[in-house]
Amino acid sequence: MNVFLPYAIGHKVSRSDPAIETSDLAVAPAGVSQPILERITLRVPRGCRVALVGANGTGKSTLLKTLAGLLPPLSGRLQIAGAGTARGNPSIAFLAQRPSLEWHFPVTVARAVLAGRYLRLGWLRRPGADDREKALSAMRRLGLEALAECPLHALSGGQQQRVLIARALCQEAAVLLLDEPFAGLDSASRDILESFLSGDARHELTVVMSTHDLAEVEKRFDLILEIRDRRLVTLHSCTCGERSRETEEPPRRFA
């Protein structure tokens, strides 16, 4: 029996497709015509955990936004789970380092997490019992069940970060793109998020995360990529990760 997952409307995706595949990709920030990164050829299997490291200003956020479909590539080919990226693709969830959200909007944690279902349902369909159960399950896994009826503005920064991850989980995204997700987190939220990413989530999600925390990066990630001189360099690769076509080199410390 062939199994397909609805990663994009009108597109059937085989489970054999890699999570992320690029060929000779060049990317740049919005409004810039010269690439900040170029010649990126990469194949990331499903369920892989990828760390993206590099000095500030080298293009980590730009690359993540391009993978998310928020920025168009300058050139080259990019596919997520066998489909081209686009806004509204439910297979992709992106969490910016500083999300530009109005946290004082009068909405509870439960409703914010449930909003992740609308990419699957469309805005004209109301969530049903199955959708609410998915939202509840996501809140449980991120330690938010007791906060379900709390307004977003009453949460700590770490709790708000967990709400966004829970919304992505409720969305049933296949690829989770995280830009410095641990920056400024309280210890409790950090522990919960680390436990989630290293637990069952690794079997259902492909995670690409930018980070400056290199202390235990080789223990937690299958593939470690450094941005250096406008290229991607593989620092570490295990059986889960397939190397980019760059030379593997030892890790460096970043300022």
Side-chain angles (χ1 to χ4, degrees):
M1 180 178 67
N2 292 326
V3 180
F4 297 100
L5 298 178
Y7 288 105
I9 296 173
H11 183 87
K12 291 183 177 181
V13 179
S14 169
R15 293 181 68 90
S16 64
D17 287 323
I20 300 171
E21 190 169 26
T22 71
S23 178
D24 205 25
L25 192 70
V27 305
V32 177
S33 60
Q34 294 299 315
I36 191 172
L37 283 169
E38 58 187 346
R39 290 185 283 175
I40 303 170
T41 296
L42 183 67
R43 183 182 173 93
V44 178
R46 291 174 183 267
C48 195
R49 294 179 301 173
V50 183
L52 187 61
V53 301
N56 289 331
T58 53
K60 296 188 298 294
S61 296
T62 298
L63 178 57
L64 289 174
K65 289 177 181 178
T66 304
L67 295 177
L70 301 177
L71 290 174
L74 294 181
S75 61
R77 185 174 66 90
L78 167 61
Q79 289 193 309
I80 302 291
T85 61
R87 287 178 183 268
N89 185 340
S91 67
I92 308 165
F94 171 65
L95 179 56
Q97 185 174 354
R98 298 178 181 85
S100 55
L101 299 177
E102 181 49 69
W103 292 107
H104 287 276
F105 190 79
V107 65
T108 64
V109 168
R111 290 185 66 85
V113 173
L114 184 62
R117 296 303 300 159
Y118 285 106
L119 278 177
R120 297 285 179 184
L121 296 173
W123 291 103
L124 299 181
R125 289 176 57 192
R126 295 177 63 86
D130 183 61
D131 301 300
R132 289 189 288 273
E133 180 56 38
K134 284 181 169 63
L136 180 59
S137 174
M139 287 188 290
R140 287 194 189 109
R141 294 175 66 180
L142 273 300
L144 296 167
E145 188 176 10
L147 301 173
E149 298 307 316
C150 288
L152 292 180
H153 65 80
L155 304 180
S156 68
Q159 290 168 337
Q160 290 174 346
Q161 191 87 318
R162 282 188 276 147
V163 168
L164 297 179
I165 300 290
R167 185 176 67 178
L169 189 61
C170 186
Q171 177 185 318
E172 295 183 298
V175 178
L176 186 58
L177 307 171
L178 305 174
D179 195 357
E180 298 279 358
F182 294 113
L185 285 194
D186 56 88
S187 59
S189 289
R190 185 184 183 94
D191 290 344
I192 290 172
L193 186 52
E194 285 183 342
S195 176
F196 167 72
L197 292 175
S198 62
D200 291 341
R202 69 172 303 167
H203 301 296
E204 61 187 284
L205 287 170
T206 301
V207 177
V208 182
M209 185 178 95
S210 66
T211 181
H212 280 92
D213 184 4
L214 301 182
E216 297 186 44
V217 75
E218 289 192 15
K219 298 178 182 178
R220 297 175 180 169
F221 294 91
D222 307 303
L223 181 62
I224 304 172
L225 303 172
E226 180 189 351
I227 297 177
R228 189 188 305 176
D229 299 325
R230 299 198 303 179
R231 304 288 296 277
L232 276 183
V233 178
T234 301
L235 301 184
H236 169 77
S237 177
C238 73
T239 54
C240 177
E242 297 181 36
R243 298 182 184 182
S244 66
R245 295 183 185 175
E246 305 293 339
T247 304
E248 184 166 325
E249 298 186 19
R252 301 188 299 178
R253 294 290 177 182
F254 305 111

